[in-house]
């Protein structure tokens, strides 16, 4: 609380640090005779209030006679310590609006932070986002997941606009978001072609497998950029789209009946299991049968590969965990005033993934069997791209 122990400790630590800084700057201790008539010297102090993690703290900032002292722990004109900025960014990444963040800081820390100040803090990430979006990439990726999330943007009127996400499994077994792009709502396959071209220009020479939804024209767009890439329809998308045509009471039964189709040991066995599924559910839900038949050519490629490769391709944790975090942040906002605000929200959400690094360590531990399987199945392209 106000005037509490944490605020007093924070005040003492900051003031002690600044006393040390001005001592280094002047070259002598306070009250040391060595500084007498030695040119520049201490010249009193001034009061200043800074916002910290424990609320507003009033500190005393030392001054020197010629005004050359530049404190580093709390710089001139700085009103917030970095912990507060980190807190604002963290709350924003979780989907809180500027008003909600302001109310939270006032309620918990007794700190009055305006919406404009919070917006200014979050706007700083856009410079980092531009650099991140244009960073060089690896030469080869075993798997790249391509997906889009619809967000509501108020551009004259509120309308759904896609945010495109490219998530890669790296040759070291980690997950890496390659980029985020705001679409104009036009033809998706054409925009994905531009995205793939940009990735290639940033250094991606080869992608072993690309996993995407069943968008018409997307496989051709991918193979135009990377001719050797195996394009695989995302099984999770197929299942989710299947449920759209079925009553809620039948979802569990349909999921159970479809599992033998995508876990079959061979393409022939998968086709046999699908015929059995069609015989059972075709009359009630013909649209589900048609959905799988139309996607069959892009669904079956992964059935020819080792179980370790299938595990990576079919992992719901890869792209779905990213999508879930993005949807949570987007849903909390409702809609955005412009495209830039939507991208900022999504960027903050993906930057907040796996903050402890636990997921990264787990992926690396499980990756070695899949690495060997990819190298054998794709005739050394993975190793050649890494060298």
């Amino acid at each position: 609380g106000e005037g509490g122990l944490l605020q007093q400790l924070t005040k003492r630590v900051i003031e002690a640090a600044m006393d040390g800084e001005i001592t280094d700057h002047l070259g002598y201790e306070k009250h040391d005779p060595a500084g007498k008539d030695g040119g520049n010297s201490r010249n009193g102090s001034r009061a200043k209030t800074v916002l910290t993690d424990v609320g507003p703290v009033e500190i005393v900032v030392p001054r020197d006679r010629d005004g050359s002292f530049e404190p580093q722990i709390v710089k001139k004109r700085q009103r917030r310590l970095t912990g507060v900025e980190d807190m604002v960014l963290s709350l924003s990444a979780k989907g809180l609006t500027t008003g909600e963040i302001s109310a939270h800081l006032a309620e918990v820390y007794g700190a009055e932070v305006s919406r404009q100040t919070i917006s200014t803090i979050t706007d700083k990430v856009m410079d980092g986002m531009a650099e991140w979006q244009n960073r060089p990439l690896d030469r080869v990726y075993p798997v790249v997941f391509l997906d889009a999330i619809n967000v509501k943007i108020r551009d004259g009127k509120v309308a759904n606009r896609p945010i495109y996400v490219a998530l890669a499994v790296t040759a070291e077994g980690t997950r890496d978001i390659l980029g985020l792009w705001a679409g104009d709502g036009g033809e998706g396959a054409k925009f994905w072609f531009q995205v793939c071209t940009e990735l290639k220009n940033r250094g991606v020479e080869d992608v072993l497998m690309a996993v995407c939804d069943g968008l018409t024209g997307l496989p051709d767009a991918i193979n135009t950029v990377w001719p050797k890439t195996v394009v695989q329809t995302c099984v999770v998308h197929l299942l989710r789209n299947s449920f759209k045509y079925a009553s809620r009471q039948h979802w569990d039964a349909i999921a159970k009946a479809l599992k033998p189709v995508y876990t079959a040991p061979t393409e022939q066995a998968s086709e046999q299991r699908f015929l059995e599924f069609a015989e059972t559910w075709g009359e009630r839900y013909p649209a589900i049968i048609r959905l799988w038949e139309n996607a069959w050519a892009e669904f079956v490629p992964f059935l020819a590969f080792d179980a370790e490769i299938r595990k990576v391709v079919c992992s719901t944790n890869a792209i779905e965990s990213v999508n879930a975090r993005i949807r949570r942040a987007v849903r909390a906002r409702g809609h955005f005033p412009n495209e830039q605000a939507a991208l900022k929200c999504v960027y903050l959400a993906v930057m907040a993934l796996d903050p402890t690094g636990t997921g990264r360590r787990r992926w690396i531990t499980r990756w070695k069997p899949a690495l060997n399987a990819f190298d054998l199945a794709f005739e050394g392209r993975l190793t050649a791209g890494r060298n």
Side-chain angles (χ1 to χ4, degrees):
E2 186 175 354
L5 177 62
L6 286 177
Q7 286 188 338
Q8 294 178 42
L9 286 174
T10 302
K11 172 181 172 69
R12 290 187 181 185
V13 169
I14 294 174
E15 290 180 348
M18 286 194 291
D19 278 340
E21 287 183 338
I22 196 169
T23 295
D24 287 341
H25 176 69
L26 297 175
Y28 66 90
E29 295 288 343
K30 193 174 184 179
H31 307 304
D32 190 332
K36 189 176 181 180
D37 301 326
N40 194 17
S41 61
R42 286 174 171 79
N43 187 32
S45 60
R46 60 184 176 85
K48 176 178 180 177
T49 300
V50 292
L51 183 60
T52 71
D53 293 349
V54 295
V57 174
E58 185 174 309
I59 59 175
V60 174
V61 181
R63 298 186 300 186
D64 61 341
R65 289 196 178 279
D66 63 12
S68 59
F69 174 54
E70 295 277 353
Q72 296 303 306
I73 189 168
V74 181
K75 299 181 185 298
K76 287 184 177 180
R77 292 175 292 279
Q78 182 181 353
R79 293 293 179 183
R80 301 180 304 274
L81 295 188
T82 54
V84 176
E85 297 193 359
D86 292 341
M87 190 186 309
V88 168
L89 293 176
S90 175
L91 293 172
S92 183
K94 290 175 172 58
L96 272 68
T97 64
T98 54
E100 290 168 337
I101 295 172
S102 178
H104 173 80
L105 293 175
E107 178 183 353
V108 178
Y109 300 102
E112 296 295 330
V113 185
S114 69
R115 294 187 180 188
Q116 182 58 46
T117 299
I118 293 169
S119 183
T120 301
I121 292 173
T122 56
D123 281 344
K124 290 181 180 179
V125 306
M126 297 308 291
D127 294 336
M129 179 180 174
E131 183 178 347
W132 171 82
Q133 184 77 19
N134 294 296
R135 72 194 189 282
L137 301 175
D138 295 347
R139 290 173 58 191
V140 60
Y141 289 101
V143 183
V144 172
F145 295 86
L146 304 177
D147 202 6
I149 303 289
N150 283 321
V151 300
K152 296 184 184 300
I153 295 178
R154 187 178 66 246
D155 189 6
K157 62 178 182 179
V158 177
N160 280 331
R161 295 268 297 277
I163 299 291
Y164 295 92
V165 183
L167 168 70
V169 178
T170 70
E172 287 73 36
T174 61
R175 270 60 169 170
D176 186 21
I177 306 287
L178 304 184
L180 301 169
W181 300 265
D184 56 8
E187 187 179 350
K190 184 178 180 181
F191 193 91
W192 272 124
F193 173 73
Q194 298 172 7
V195 168
C196 294
T197 302
E198 179 183 319
L199 294 178
K200 186 173 184 178
N201 291 339
R202 288 167 59 194
V204 183
E205 298 175 4
D206 192 12
V207 173
L208 305 188
M209 298 187 74
V211 181
C212 54
D213 60 12
L215 182 66
T216 303
L218 182 50
D220 292 337
I222 295 171
N223 287 138
T224 301
V225 180
W226 300 297
K228 295 182 179 181
T229 299
V230 174
V231 180
Q232 170 69 43
T233 291
C234 179
V235 175
V236 176
H237 278 88
L238 271 177
L239 291 172
R240 187 186 298 133
N241 292 335
S242 299
F243 296 148
K244 291 179 181 178
Y245 297 109
S247 300
R248 179 65 182 88
Q249 60 183 340
H250 295 139
W251 284 8
D252 289 342
I254 289 174
K256 186 176 180 179
L258 282 172
K259 187 173 183 179
V261 178
Y262 61 84
T263 58
T266 63
E267 181 179 342
Q268 291 75 19
S270 177
E271 190 171 347
Q272 183 60 40
R273 300 291 83 77
F274 179 69
L275 291 174
E276 294 171 1
F277 173 83
E279 187 176 338
T280 305
W281 294 98
E283 186 175 345
R284 184 185 291 270
Y285 297 121
I288 297 179
I289 307 304
R290 185 170 63 251
L291 171 71
W292 281 75
E293 287 176 344
N294 292 340
W296 195 258
E298 282 77 40
F299 159 70
V300 294
F302 82 110
L303 295 174
F305 295 112
D306 185 271
E308 294 296 338
I309 293 179
R310 293 192 193 191
K311 192 183 300 182
V312 174
V313 172
C314 293
S315 173
T316 58
N317 293 330
I319 191 69
E320 289 306 304
S321 61
V322 175
N323 287 349
R325 179 67 65 89
I326 293 174
R327 288 193 184 98
R328 192 185 314 153
V330 166
R331 196 179 298 119
R333 297 293 182 89
H335 67 273
F336 299 91
N338 51 52
E339 177 184 292
Q340 196 79 342
L343 274 175
K344 180 171 71 174
C345 174
V346 175
Y347 173 71
L348 285 169
V350 299
M351 288 298 104
L353 291 169
D354 193 26
T356 63
T358 303
R360 182 183 181 90
R361 289 190 294 272
R362 184 171 63 248
W363 291 329
I364 293 173
T365 302
R366 298 175 178 176
W367 174 243
K368 290 302 180 182
L371 174 63
N372 287 286
F374 272 108
D375 225 23
L376 289 173
F378 290 91
E379 301 175 347
R381 283 162 55 192
L382 186 57
T383 300
R386 295 172 68 189
N387 294 334

